[in-house]
Amino acid sequence: MSAVVAQTLHVFGLRSHVANNIFYFDEQIIIFPSGNHCVKYNVDQKWQKFIPGSDKSQGMLALSISPNRRYLAISETVQEKPAITIYELSSIPCRKRKVLNNFDFQVQKFISMAFSPDSKYLLAQTSPPESNLVYWLWEKQKVMAIVRIDTQNNPVYQVSFSPQDNTQVCVTGNGMFKLLRFTEGTLKQTNFQRGEPQNYLAHTWVADDKIVVGTDTGKLFLFESGDQRWETSIMVKEPTHDSKSLDVIQESESLIEFPPVSSPLPSYEQMVATSSHSQLSMPQVFAIAAYSKGFACSAGPGRVLLFEKMEEKDFYRESREIRIPVDPQSNDPSQSDKQDVLCLCFSPSEETLVASTSKNQLYSITMSLTEISKGEPAHFEYLMYPLHSAPITGLATCIRKPLIATCSLDRSIRIWNYETNTLELFKEYQEEAYSISLHPSGHFIVVGFADKLRLMNLLIDDIRSFKEYSIRGCRECSFSNGGHLFAAVNGNVIHVYTTTNLENISSLKGHTGKIRSIVWNADDSKLISGGTDGAVYEWNLSTGKRETECVLKSCSYNCVTVSPDAKIIFAVGSDHTLKEIADSSILREISAFDVTYTTIVISHSGRMMFVGTSVGTIRAMKYPLPLQKEFNEYQAHAGPITKVSRALSPGTQSYTLPHALFIPSTSQCLFSLLRLSYLFIPHSLNHCLLTMNILFV
């Protein structure tokens, strides 16, 4: 009679390419997507609460909050099918109010949504090739009208309601600016486009019948009742040779090969691709937000401009410039601010402006500071802390301190404190980093870079290398539990080094394929490895020889771990099973039930086990493992989980904050912190409740 209960504590990351990805719930709380959740973040008190996405979700595509701040609509793809879930934000915790997932029209994805002024209707735009605009009475799940917006497969970027009129809507996209009115059960276009078509990336209503629209060539238009009243071009104030900053970081080599996760259409990448090469140097207007004095708009990499309405005229003049600051920790500070602002939002009082960027960052600025700038550009500040902007490849926790270390294809190393939920250290390098391990003392890390393996000191304000090894692209490295040794994988060989004289004391050879996982036993006398060759080896470090081996060529192993008494090895891989291995033999195979297990960790007590899956879930199960489908499953991410690390360690010498598991996701540039509690019938009064910290990426 036992149960494993999990609760999300904190998420470090942002899904920046979700449409309309940041907005205010009230003056202190903002909402943004991260992992498979929407996060309610209190900017003053620094706490997070979570609105979970759907189970088996393949990722959020678009968000919309109702004008009365009572409802949140989330567009997702769930098991290859589109769905819109509407949550009631006023309830604690937020509860699902409606799920729209049965459609009598063709739809692949909903890429933009908007609530009507009275919050009773929902407007949703589908992706090409259908490109349908759907007008819902969402409470009754009734489609009031549907119209095809485009027949040329051009991307549509944004839909919206007039702020005062339920029947007036606006749609913008590549080559289209359309105003439609709902009347007599249909949506009818009320304007006629004149002049040369533009690639309209964003728009906002500045009055009942006035709309400001931005393009991919830096032009801003004011339309009144569909007729153009004003036009201006945003001036480029910097050399245009930095357009390479728009390049989207690509993952050079996945640690584990999985089917691609679906992404929203159209995405930021598609907006950039839609523009011609010559236009990449132009200040593309990806975001516009209205406020009482006028509007704010993105104006190319690292820039936001404020426009104010001129008295007695329907024209706007540029009043302030706000810039993303240069980050001194970047490996190229001159490029660190070259990121496009994808979403802007004012607080209800208009005291604060928040922004999300193409590099997964969140920024804010107090509007009163823009008044003090005296002609000089004002500068954003990080809303929380710098976040990863590319897939997280490595994750490690510290035994004696509440620290997490992560590395990423964004070429950065970050040290996080999971007790205070803050970023302690951050530094970028010239090379991508693929693996990382924290010394038990919390004073050193070993990192596998693309060019070398580096042993590094964690200083008060710096991360500094003091020893390098000629191991290129090390995908797995790990300090021993005692910290006196560390192991690093070089292809199909494991090199073991001492941390006292930093010399190689052993090279463990035997694998014929790439080694994907290594783990130390409790007393550091043995090392267990698993690889793509289907081999699981147990190495005796005193002799450097294999002690046990289990080879199954039909399985490519992703991860191995070992029981606290070192008698049983657990391995997961491509054959959709979890294996118990002892004395070179497979004792049991437990089915993964149609998913691939990507990573596995066992608690120090040996009573709990946690496995990450290729669909972004964490399965928590008791040990001994049940043969039936007996586990609790938690949807952590919308992409494959690459690492799981425990943070609770046994003994009085270790850091024992009772709540954390850490989990990163390769495809989402973020990781999550879970509280997990294992409840079991006690044998004594001392063991009625065991809580454990776990982390996943």
Side-chain angles (χ1 to χ4, degrees), residues 168-185:
Q168 183 79 18
V169 301
C170 178
V171 181
T172 51
N174 187 12
M176 71 183 78
F177 166 72
K178 295 187 178 183
L179 292 174
L180 301 100
R181 182 172 293 279
F182 175 69
T183 177
E184 297 177 354

PDB file of all heavy atoms in Angstrom, residues 168-185:
ATOM      1  N   GLN A 168     -16.642  42.892 -34.255  1.00  0.00           N
ATOM      2  CA  GLN A 168     -15.592  43.412 -35.135  1.00  0.00           C
ATOM      3  C   GLN A 168     -14.281  42.683 -34.851  1.00  0.00           C
ATOM      4  O   GLN A 168     -13.815  42.655 -33.711  1.00  0.00           O
ATOM      5  CB  GLN A 168     -15.407  44.907 -34.902  1.00  0.00           C
ATOM      6  CG  GLN A 168     -14.395  45.576 -35.812  1.00  0.00           C
ATOM      7  CD  GLN A 168     -14.939  45.865 -37.187  1.00  0.00           C
ATOM      8  OE1 GLN A 168     -16.148  45.884 -37.382  1.00  0.00           O
ATOM      9  NE2 GLN A 168     -14.065  46.068 -38.153  1.00  0.00           N
ATOM     10  N   VAL A 169     -13.679  42.073 -35.880  1.00  0.00           N
ATOM     11  CA  VAL A 169     -12.438  41.322 -35.687  1.00  0.00           C
ATOM     12  C   VAL A 169     -11.423  41.741 -36.743  1.00  0.00           C
ATOM     13  O   VAL A 169     -11.777  42.278 -37.812  1.00  0.00           O
ATOM     14  CB  VAL A 169     -12.671  39.795 -35.750  1.00  0.00           C
ATOM     15  CG1 VAL A 169     -13.662  39.355 -34.700  1.00  0.00           C
ATOM     16  CG2 VAL A 169     -13.111  39.353 -37.133  1.00  0.00           C
ATOM     17  N   CYS A 170     -10.157  41.475 -36.433  1.00  0.00           N
ATOM     18  CA  CYS A 170      -9.052  41.814 -37.336  1.00  0.00           C
ATOM     19  C   CYS A 170      -8.146  40.602 -37.497  1.00  0.00           C
ATOM     20  O   CYS A 170      -7.890  39.865 -36.527  1.00  0.00           O
ATOM     21  CB  CYS A 170      -8.256  43.000 -36.789  1.00  0.00           C
ATOM     22  SG  CYS A 170      -6.837  43.464 -37.804  1.00  0.00           S
ATOM     23  N   VAL A 171      -7.659  40.401 -38.727  1.00  0.00           N
ATOM     24  CA  VAL A 171      -6.743  39.299 -39.025  1.00  0.00           C
ATOM     25  C   VAL A 171      -5.575  39.861 -39.828  1.00  0.00           C
ATOM     26  O   VAL A 171      -5.780  40.584 -40.811  1.00  0.00           O
ATOM     27  CB  VAL A 171      -7.432  38.189 -39.846  1.00  0.00           C
ATOM     28  CG1 VAL A 171      -6.466  37.047 -40.112  1.00  0.00           C
ATOM     29  CG2 VAL A 171      -8.673  37.681 -39.140  1.00  0.00           C
ATOM     30  N   THR A 172      -4.335  39.546 -39.409  1.00  0.00           N
ATOM     31  CA  THR A 172      -3.163  39.971 -40.170  1.00  0.00           C
ATOM     32  C   THR A 172      -2.264  38.778 -40.451  1.00  0.00           C
ATOM     33  O   THR A 172      -2.201  37.826 -39.675  1.00  0.00           O
ATOM     34  CB  THR A 172      -2.360  41.052 -39.424  1.00  0.00           C
ATOM     35  OG1 THR A 172      -2.092  40.606 -38.083  1.00  0.00           O
ATOM     36  CG2 THR A 172      -3.112  42.352 -39.375  1.00  0.00           C
ATOM     37  N   GLY A 173      -1.570  38.851 -41.585  1.00  0.00           N
ATOM     38  CA  GLY A 173      -0.658  37.794 -42.001  1.00  0.00           C
ATOM     39  C   GLY A 173       0.165  38.256 -43.181  1.00  0.00           C
ATOM     40  O   GLY A 173       0.225  39.455 -43.500  1.00  0.00           O
ATOM     41  N   ASN A 174       0.792  37.318 -43.853  1.00  0.00           N
ATOM     42  CA  ASN A 174       1.620  37.659 -45.005  1.00  0.00           C
ATOM     43  C   ASN A 174       0.725  38.040 -46.181  1.00  0.00           C
ATOM     44  O   ASN A 174       0.033  37.210 -46.754  1.00  0.00           O
ATOM     45  CB  ASN A 174       2.506  36.463 -45.382  1.00  0.00           C
ATOM     46  CG  ASN A 174       3.507  36.815 -46.467  1.00  0.00           C
ATOM     47  OD1 ASN A 174       3.697  37.985 -46.793  1.00  0.00           O
ATOM     48  ND2 ASN A 174       4.139  35.815 -47.039  1.00  0.00           N
ATOM     49  N   GLY A 175       0.724  39.326 -46.502  1.00  0.00           N
ATOM     50  CA  GLY A 175      -0.088  39.806 -47.611  1.00  0.00           C
ATOM     51  C   GLY A 175      -1.534  40.060 -47.258  1.00  0.00           C
ATOM     52  O   GLY A 175      -2.350  40.278 -48.157  1.00  0.00           O
ATOM     53  N   MET A 176      -1.867  40.049 -45.972  1.00  0.00           N
ATOM     54  CA  MET A 176      -3.282  40.244 -45.625  1.00  0.00           C
ATOM     55  C   MET A 176      -3.459  41.114 -44.389  1.00  0.00           C
ATOM     56  O   MET A 176      -2.750  40.993 -43.395  1.00  0.00           O
ATOM     57  CB  MET A 176      -3.980  38.895 -45.411  1.00  0.00           C
ATOM     58  CG  MET A 176      -3.588  38.155 -44.162  1.00  0.00           C
ATOM     59  SD  MET A 176      -4.391  36.546 -44.030  1.00  0.00           S
ATOM     60  CE  MET A 176      -3.384  35.591 -45.160  1.00  0.00           C
ATOM     61  N   PHE A 177      -4.382  42.052 -44.526  1.00  0.00           N
ATOM     62  CA  PHE A 177      -4.903  42.832 -43.406  1.00  0.00           C
ATOM     63  C   PHE A 177      -6.407  42.882 -43.624  1.00  0.00           C
ATOM     64  O   PHE A 177      -6.892  43.547 -44.549  1.00  0.00           O
ATOM     65  CB  PHE A 177      -4.304  44.239 -43.373  1.00  0.00           C
ATOM     66  CG  PHE A 177      -5.042  45.175 -42.456  1.00  0.00           C
ATOM     67  CD1 PHE A 177      -4.935  45.032 -41.081  1.00  0.00           C
ATOM     68  CD2 PHE A 177      -5.860  46.180 -42.957  1.00  0.00           C
ATOM     69  CE1 PHE A 177      -5.636  45.879 -40.223  1.00  0.00           C
ATOM     70  CE2 PHE A 177      -6.560  47.028 -42.112  1.00  0.00           C
ATOM     71  CZ  PHE A 177      -6.442  46.871 -40.745  1.00  0.00           C
ATOM     72  N   LYS A 178      -7.144  42.134 -42.802  1.00  0.00           N
ATOM     73  CA  LYS A 178      -8.573  41.997 -43.030  1.00  0.00           C
ATOM     74  C   LYS A 178      -9.360  42.394 -41.784  1.00  0.00           C
ATOM     75  O   LYS A 178      -9.031  41.966 -40.672  1.00  0.00           O
ATOM     76  CB  LYS A 178      -8.925  40.559 -43.426  1.00  0.00           C
ATOM     77  CG  LYS A 178      -8.332  40.130 -44.765  1.00  0.00           C
ATOM     78  CD  LYS A 178      -8.832  38.757 -45.199  1.00  0.00           C
ATOM     79  CE  LYS A 178      -8.265  38.376 -46.563  1.00  0.00           C
ATOM     80  NZ  LYS A 178      -8.791  37.068 -47.040  1.00  0.00           N
ATOM     81  N   LEU A 179     -10.386  43.184 -42.009  1.00  0.00           N
ATOM     82  CA  LEU A 179     -11.370  43.490 -40.978  1.00  0.00           C
ATOM     83  C   LEU A 179     -12.654  42.745 -41.339  1.00  0.00           C
ATOM     84  O   LEU A 179     -13.108  42.791 -42.493  1.00  0.00           O
ATOM     85  CB  LEU A 179     -11.642  44.984 -40.904  1.00  0.00           C
ATOM     86  CG  LEU A 179     -10.498  45.867 -40.406  1.00  0.00           C
ATOM     87  CD1 LEU A 179     -10.861  47.334 -40.536  1.00  0.00           C
ATOM     88  CD2 LEU A 179     -10.142  45.533 -38.966  1.00  0.00           C
ATOM     89  N   LEU A 180     -13.216  42.055 -40.357  1.00  0.00           N
ATOM     90  CA  LEU A 180     -14.440  41.298 -40.601  1.00  0.00           C
ATOM     91  C   LEU A 180     -15.460  41.642 -39.521  1.00  0.00           C
ATOM     92  O   LEU A 180     -15.105  41.988 -38.386  1.00  0.00           O
ATOM     93  CB  LEU A 180     -14.172  39.783 -40.598  1.00  0.00           C
ATOM     94  CG  LEU A 180     -13.156  39.261 -41.626  1.00  0.00           C
ATOM     95  CD1 LEU A 180     -11.807  39.039 -40.969  1.00  0.00           C
ATOM     96  CD2 LEU A 180     -13.636  37.965 -42.251  1.00  0.00           C
ATOM     97  N   ARG A 181     -16.735  41.527 -39.890  1.00  0.00           N
ATOM     98  CA  ARG A 181     -17.805  41.776 -38.930  1.00  0.00           C
ATOM     99  C   ARG A 181     -18.721  40.552 -38.892  1.00  0.00           C
ATOM    100  O   ARG A 181     -19.081  39.990 -39.924  1.00  0.00           O
ATOM    101  CB  ARG A 181     -18.610  43.014 -39.306  1.00  0.00           C
ATOM    102  CG  ARG A 181     -19.715  43.352 -38.302  1.00  0.00           C
ATOM    103  CD  ARG A 181     -20.353  44.685 -38.610  1.00  0.00           C
ATOM    104  NE  ARG A 181     -19.433  45.790 -38.415  1.00  0.00           N
ATOM    105  CZ  ARG A 181     -19.156  46.348 -37.234  1.00  0.00           C
ATOM    106  NH1 ARG A 181     -19.730  45.876 -36.129  1.00  0.00           N
ATOM    107  NH2 ARG A 181     -18.326  47.361 -37.158  1.00  0.00           N
ATOM    108  N   PHE A 182     -19.055  40.158 -37.651  1.00  0.00           N
ATOM    109  CA  PHE A 182     -19.982  39.043 -37.475  1.00  0.00           C
ATOM    110  C   PHE A 182     -21.409  39.578 -37.564  1.00  0.00           C
ATOM    111  O   PHE A 182     -21.840  40.408 -36.753  1.00  0.00           O
ATOM    112  CB  PHE A 182     -19.750  38.370 -36.123  1.00  0.00           C
ATOM    113  CG  PHE A 182     -20.745  37.284 -35.808  1.00  0.00           C
ATOM    114  CD1 PHE A 182     -20.739  36.091 -36.512  1.00  0.00           C
ATOM    115  CD2 PHE A 182     -21.706  37.468 -34.813  1.00  0.00           C
ATOM    116  CE1 PHE A 182     -21.661  35.095 -36.228  1.00  0.00           C
ATOM    117  CE2 PHE A 182     -22.627  36.481 -34.517  1.00  0.00           C
ATOM    118  CZ  PHE A 182     -22.605  35.283 -35.237  1.00  0.00           C
ATOM    119  N   THR A 183     -22.123  39.113 -38.571  1.00  0.00           N
ATOM    120  CA  THR A 183     -23.503  39.551 -38.764  1.00  0.00           C
ATOM    121  C   THR A 183     -24.303  38.455 -39.441  1.00  0.00           C
ATOM    122  O   THR A 183     -23.820  37.804 -40.368  1.00  0.00           O
ATOM    123  CB  THR A 183     -23.559  40.852 -39.600  1.00  0.00           C
ATOM    124  OG1 THR A 183     -24.920  41.205 -39.830  1.00  0.00           O
ATOM    125  CG2 THR A 183     -22.870  40.677 -40.943  1.00  0.00           C
ATOM    126  N   GLU A 184     -25.474  38.215 -38.949  1.00  0.00           N
ATOM    127  CA  GLU A 184     -26.403  37.226 -39.505  1.00  0.00           C
ATOM    128  C   GLU A 184     -25.757  35.845 -39.656  1.00  0.00           C
ATOM    129  O   GLU A 184     -25.916  35.165 -40.660  1.00  0.00           O
ATOM    130  CB  GLU A 184     -26.935  37.709 -40.859  1.00  0.00           C
ATOM    131  CG  GLU A 184     -27.734  38.997 -40.774  1.00  0.00           C
ATOM    132  CD  GLU A 184     -28.193  39.481 -42.134  1.00  0.00           C
ATOM    133  OE1 GLU A 184     -27.785  38.862 -43.139  1.00  0.00           O
ATOM    134  OE2 GLU A 184     -28.954  40.465 -42.192  1.00  0.00           O
ATOM    135  N   GLY A 185     -24.967  35.477 -38.641  1.00  0.00           N
ATOM    136  CA  GLY A 185     -24.389  34.134 -38.616  1.00  0.00           C
ATOM    137  C   GLY A 185     -23.183  33.932 -39.501  1.00  0.00           C
ATOM    138  O   GLY A 185     -22.724  32.792 -39.677  1.00  0.00           O
TER     139      GLY A 185
END
